[in-house]
Amino acid sequence: MYLSQNLIEKVRELSDIVSIISEYTNLTKKGQGYVGKCPFHTDKTPSFYVSEDKQMYHCFGCGVGGNTITFMMEKENLTFVEAVESLATRANIPLEYEDSVGNRNEENVKREVMFRLYNQAARFYYYALNNNAKDYLQKRGVSERVIKIFGIGYSPPDYNILYKYFKQLGYEDEILIQSGLCLKSERTGNIYDRFSDRLMFPIFNTNKKVIAFGGRVFGDQNPKYLNSPESLIFDKSQTLYALNFAKMSRSDYYILVEGYMDVVAMHKAGFTQTVASLGTAFTKAQARLLKRYTEQVVILYDSDKAGEKATLRAIPILRQEGINVRVLQLKDSKDPDEYLTRYGKESLEKLIDSAKSDTWFEVLRLEKQYNLSIAEQKISFLQKSSQIIAKLSSGIEQLVYIDEMAKKYDIATDAIKAEVNKQERARNYTNETSNQLVSTIKKANVQIELLSILYHHKNIFPNVEPYIGEELFDAGIIRDLFRYVQTRTEKELAYLNASYTTIEEQKIISNVIMGDDIRYEDSKVLYKTLNDSVKALNNVYIKRQLKTSTDPLELQELLSKKKVLDKLNIALING
């Protein structure tokens, strides 16, 4: 069964975007719309705009944008189908399904089937949990209650028992292989289960749907952990284990650990704000995911060298998302599970409360490499420490650490401050090249910028129309947006919303329709941007045609057109 197109349209029409977004940020009426601080990034001044009329949102700070469905997808980490179902339930719209997929996207169909597969697999593994597996869990302090909460199961040693179960339910081999639950032997062609003789930890999305598994061995076999492969419903770089539980904790901070058993042990002890990064390197997407629920994270990775390296990698990623980071290293236990077994909850709670900031973690780690009683080594240490402080974006934060460093290491505050300023100047010089790269990337959005100008300044479209055509715009959503700017019909807008449903696609639509840049209130800026954009797009098109065309007449025509463009001067007669 699949969501009906009628249901999707009802959700778009009847969902109140202002009411929905108001649950995440305060909105104030301004003109024909609403403004507020962006719920997707740290916003010092309101840069988030919501149009009740268009039922769309757009942030002029970070560039997010879309409609009610994409807002729920991005804010709650939901799939398109999950977002529609959630909004329908909220608006008391009866869920409607179809037996036929009709014109539905093939990937959406497979996605829904995979959700069913993983839900059924989770039940299968849970009921397959045998005495050996239960004995192992009980020795680790995992009770029946905790097993049930986390849905922990067991994959039997039979190489194809889950495959046979799914075949009895009528599933095709192709979808079983695509889901990652089964594999096909290249040598024999036989299909067999991916997981065998392992403890099974279901991985849920934030909407409490099973999207993958982590399988853990009992003994010393390798690999110790085996995760589901990425699929249409699972992207490990954008998933955090137990976030579905942690988001209900309402804690002021989250705890980031490494493994499934660490998470289970922490939750069992009452630290229900604990999540894990699935044993992979921590990613920007995971940091953004955490930012939706908290502004403080305590990193509690394993105390070995690998855990320390993982901590150092995670710190700048979390900081870039505006998250305050503290670090806790357990000196006499290899991981949180072992520490809790030895010393209990209250002891760990005290350690967490006294956890050092990420900056002090890096400085103290650096200190271990030097003998500070030797002048030359102390100088090198303070120079390297100054590099750490120079990376801090807040001047106030820099001054606090400069003062603390001066007191701790008995050095004049001005000396530390001078070294930090020196290191900061060196970093700024190094970053010039990367800033140029950012500028180049922004120029790639010239098509969207031009379409936004033409949409919001419709009186100038007739002046520009002779110099632009749909061939100048990338095929797909950009070209369809150009057609909408031309026609401005409700039918064309309805087509855009129905055809382009992903977060990124809706962001592009909102940039054009909601992105009315105040810079263009200055006619000189508008005039220059308009002419530059039209010239740039035409030049790109002409260069592309010159490379591919073999017709002498066409080549001559293109060269003549280029000469005209070089002298192009579009006047804003009706602007």
Side-chain angles (χ1 to χ4, degrees):
M1 302 293 284
Y2 311 104
L3 294 180
S4 71
Q5 193 60 40
N6 182 50
L7 170 65
I8 296 169
E9 291 305 318
K10 280 184 180 178
V11 165
R12 284 201 186 99
E13 291 172 12
L14 301 179
S15 294
D16 180 7
I17 194 167
V18 174
S19 173
I20 291 166
I21 293 179
S22 291
E23 294 182 6
Y24 299 86
T25 187
N26 292 324
L27 295 176
T28 304
K29 179 74 172 174
K30 186 175 182 181
Q32 296 182 338
Y34 293 80
V35 295
K37 291 185 178 180
C38 180
F40 295 102
H41 81 284
T42 303
D43 207 2
K44 293 181 180 178
T45 57
S47 59
F48 191 78
Y49 185 77
V50 180
S51 171
E52 191 171 26
D53 179 44
K54 297 184 177 75
Q55 286 291 296
M56 297 181 74
Y57 64 92
H58 178 75
C59 177
F60 290 92
C62 66
V64 299
N67 55 32
T68 48
I69 297 173
T70 53
F71 182 86
M72 294 300 292
M73 288 170 69
E74 196 161 13
K75 192 63 187 167
E76 293 295 336
N77 195 31
L78 305 178
T79 65
F80 178 81
V81 173
E82 291 168 343
V84 172
E85 289 177 338
S86 174
L87 289 167
T89 302
R90 176 194 179 97
N92 294 316
I93 302 170
L95 295 176
E96 298 176 13
Y97 297 91
E98 298 172 347
D99 292 326
S100 169
V101 300
N103 294 323
R104 285 178 54 86
N105 185 293
E106 186 180 345
E107 284 193 356
N108 284 342
V109 175
K110 288 182 180 179
R111 190 178 285 111
E112 291 177 34
V113 174
M114 286 185 188
F115 278 127
R116 286 205 302 274
L117 275 170
Y118 272 87
N119 180 61
Q120 289 166 328
R123 290 178 177 276
F124 179 89
Y125 290 139
Y126 177 76
Y127 288 111
L129 196 66
N130 61 18
N131 290 331
N132 288 338
K134 284 184 179 179
D135 288 344
Y136 173 83
L137 289 169
Q138 285 174 358
K139 287 177 183 177
R140 297 290 298 266
V142 182
S143 65
E144 289 275 2
R145 176 178 169 275
V146 175
I147 290 172
K148 186 175 182 180
I149 290 171
F150 283 89
I152 302 172
Y154 172 69
S155 55
D158 314 57
Y159 74 95
N160 64 357
I161 188 170
L162 182 68
Y163 171 68
K164 288 180 179 178
Y165 171 69
F166 280 138
K167 292 304 289 182
Q168 289 175 355
L169 295 177
Y171 288 102
E172 298 293 331
D173 289 351
E174 183 182 6
I175 192 67
L176 294 177
I177 295 168
Q178 288 178 353
S179 72
L181 288 166
C182 297
L183 299 165
K184 186 174 183 179
S185 170
E186 292 183 5
R187 185 173 61 84
T188 65
N190 293 333
I191 298 174
Y192 58 97
D193 301 345
R194 175 177 293 273
F195 299 100
S196 176
D197 195 24
R198 289 174 179 267
L199 282 174
M200 299 300 292
F201 294 84
I203 299 168
F204 296 85
N205 64 15
T206 52
N207 207 35
K208 301 179 182 178
K209 289 190 176 183
V210 183
I211 56 174
F213 289 100
R216 190 192 192 284
V217 296
F218 291 92
D220 299 323
Q221 307 101 299
N222 284 314
K224 183 178 179 181
Y225 285 103
L226 180 64
N227 289 331
S228 294
E230 294 194 349
S231 67
L232 288 175
I233 62 172
F234 175 53
D235 182 343
K236 63 183 178 183
S237 70
Q238 300 187 45
T239 307
L240 289 164
Y241 179 63
L243 183 60
N244 57 304
F245 299 119
K247 74 172 192 173
M248 296 186 290
S249 68
R250 300 190 181 278
S251 174
D252 292 336
Y253 65 93
Y254 275 32
I255 302 170
L256 182 63
V257 298
E258 287 189 49
Y260 305 109
M261 288 302 297
D262 288 333
V263 169
V264 172
M266 292 289 284
H267 279 247
K268 182 169 66 75
F271 300 100
T272 57
Q273 73 272 50
T274 305
V275 297
S277 51
L278 304 179
T280 60
F282 191 74
T283 67
K284 290 182 180 180
Q286 289 169 331
R288 286 195 293 269
L289 199 54
L290 280 172
K291 179 65 175 176
R292 296 176 186 176
Y293 304 102
T294 186
E295 293 186 349
Q296 295 186 57
V297 168
V298 175
I299 301 176
L300 185 49
Y301 282 167
D302 291 357
S303 57
D304 56 13
K305 287 185 178 180
E308 190 173 272
K309 285 183 179 179
T311 299
L312 290 170
R313 284 195 300 267
I315 287 171
I317 295 172
L318 287 162
R319 266 194 169 269
Q320 284 169 12
E321 293 302 319
I323 295 175
N324 295 319
V325 184
R326 291 186 292 142
V327 180
L328 176 58
Q329 285 191 304
L330 304 172
K331 294 180 181 179
D332 54 353
S333 299
K334 71 178 189 302
D335 55 41
D337 187 12
E338 184 179 304
Y339 188 91
L340 284 165
T341 302
R342 286 184 179 181
Y343 304 108
K345 176 187 176 181
E346 288 185 9
S347 178
L348 183 57
E349 205 163 36
K350 289 177 182 177
L351 286 180
I352 291 173
D353 289 341
S354 62
K356 297 287 185 183
S357 69
D358 57 329
T359 301
W360 268 117
F361 165 74
E362 292 190 63
V363 170
L364 294 174
R365 175 182 171 274
L366 186 65
E367 183 184 334
K368 295 174 185 176
Q369 303 171 27
Y370 295 88
N371 183 349
L372 301 189
S373 63
I374 300 173
E376 289 80 2
Q377 290 201 32
K378 184 173 183 178
I379 291 168
S380 295
F381 162 69
L382 291 172
Q383 287 173 334
K384 293 282 182 65
S385 297
S386 297
Q387 291 177 12
I388 295 170
I389 298 174
K391 289 188 293 184
L392 301 175
S393 58
S394 166
I396 294 174
E397 196 175 7
Q398 285 184 352
L399 289 173
V400 168
Y401 283 109
I402 286 169
D403 187 51
E404 290 182 359
M405 286 272 293
K407 291 176 182 176
K408 180 173 176 60
Y409 298 108
D410 192 25
I411 190 81
T413 302
D414 288 344
I416 295 285
K417 188 174 182 181
E419 186 63 30
V420 169
N421 290 338
K422 175 185 171 184
Q423 298 294 346
E424 193 166 20
R425 285 195 298 272
R427 288 185 71 250
N428 290 338
Y429 178 78
T430 304
N431 287 338
E432 282 183 9
T433 304
S434 59
N435 288 338
Q436 290 171 2
L437 177 61
V438 171
S439 177
T440 302
I441 292 169
K442 286 182 178 178
K443 287 178 182 175
N445 294 323
V446 65
Q447 296 180 62
I448 296 172
E449 187 170 30
L450 176 59
L451 289 174
S452 181
I453 289 173
L454 295 176
Y455 178 81
H456 292 284
H457 302 268
K458 59 184 178 181
N459 290 335
I460 68 175
F461 191 88
N463 302 329
V464 180
E465 195 167 16
Y467 307 104
I468 58 174
E470 64 177 44
E471 71 279 357
L472 300 186
F473 298 89
D474 293 342
I477 185 171
I478 304 292
R479 192 169 292 178
D480 284 341
L481 270 165
F482 171 71
R483 293 182 185 125
Y484 171 62
V485 171
Q486 276 185 310
T487 62
R488 295 175 183 271
T489 62
E490 289 186 12
K491 181 180 179 182
E492 197 74 38
L493 183 58
Y495 167 79
L496 283 169
N497 280 322
S499 302
Y500 301 105
T501 59
T502 69
I503 291 169
E504 286 303 314
E505 288 167 342
Q506 283 293 321
K507 189 185 292 183
I508 291 170
I509 293 172
S510 81
N511 266 276
V512 172
I513 296 176
M514 303 279 285
D516 188 9
D517 198 320
I518 59 172
R519 291 177 301 162
Y520 302 137
E521 291 176 5
D522 184 334
S523 59
K524 291 180 180 178
V525 176
L526 176 61
Y527 165 81
K528 186 178 186 307
T529 306
L530 185 68
N531 277 277
D532 288 350
S533 300
V534 171
K535 286 180 182 179
L537 290 181
N538 274 282
N539 280 326
V540 169
Y541 173 75
I542 290 170
K543 284 180 182 178
R544 188 167 61 239
Q545 294 301 107
L546 286 171
K547 287 181 180 179
T548 57
S549 178
T550 56
D551 184 346
L553 291 175
E554 185 182 2
L555 289 171
Q556 186 62 42
E557 188 178 325
L558 287 167
L559 290 171
S560 298
K561 187 176 181 181
K562 191 176 187 310
K563 287 181 180 179
V564 173
L565 276 170
D566 291 339
K567 299 177 182 178
L568 184 65
N569 184 17
I570 303 171
L572 306 181
I573 299 171
N574 299 316

